[in-house]
Amino acid sequence: MFMSVDEKAATWFTKEFAINKTFFIRMFPQYAGFGIKHKGFSLAFSAESPGHVGYSYEINGITFFVEVNDVWFFEDTEVTLTIDENLDEILVRYQELTTLAVN
């Protein structure tokens, strides 16, 4: 699992959640919609404190995290959060990570 969040996306979260201090964003699978990564699941966000962190990424005072029991959704994947400039909404991209064989 690898995660990247660009500056514009971090600013979007600060505005969307109306928080101007250090905070946490939980990323988790939600059973709804037409998910790209896992059929029937979409990525959801919540401003909450971490419990049992399986992965985290910090940018501009925001810690994005995935709880241990949600890591399955992100396995073998690079998740990139950016902004769709036309809609001014979060754009999530998934790219499968490939492992290199060493001989």
Side-chain angles (χ1 to χ4, degrees):
M1 172 178 181
F2 178 78
M3 181 186 308
S4 66
V5 181
D6 70 16
E7 296 281 335
K8 290 179 181 180
T11 300
W12 183 90
F13 277 96
T14 301
K15 289 189 293 188
E16 187 72 18
F17 287 91
I19 300 173
N20 295 319
K21 59 181 180 177
T22 301
F23 65 103
F24 302 93
I25 296 290
R26 177 180 174 207
M27 300 172 56
F28 60 97
Q30 177 177 329
Y31 187 70
F34 302 94
I36 295 169
K37 173 123 176 78
H38 295 285
K39 188 173 182 157
F41 289 90
S42 58
L43 183 60
F45 306 97
S46 176
E48 61 184 79
S49 296
H52 299 355
V53 176
Y55 185 86
S56 67
Y57 178 87
E58 191 273 328
I59 181 172
N60 296 347
I62 306 169
T63 301
F64 294 84
F65 71 95
V66 176
E67 292 284 349
V68 170
N69 60 343
D70 293 329
V71 169
W72 64 269
F73 184 80
F74 302 93
E75 286 179 338
D76 301 323
T77 304
E78 177 180 350
V79 179
T80 303
L81 302 182
T82 189
I83 292 293
D84 180 322
E85 299 285 345
N86 294 324
L87 300 174
D88 192 30
E89 289 290 334
I90 286 294
L91 177 62
V92 181
R93 291 191 176 117
Y94 301 99
Q95 182 174 347
E96 187 173 335
L97 292 175
T98 56
T99 55
L100 299 175
V102 177
N103 294 324

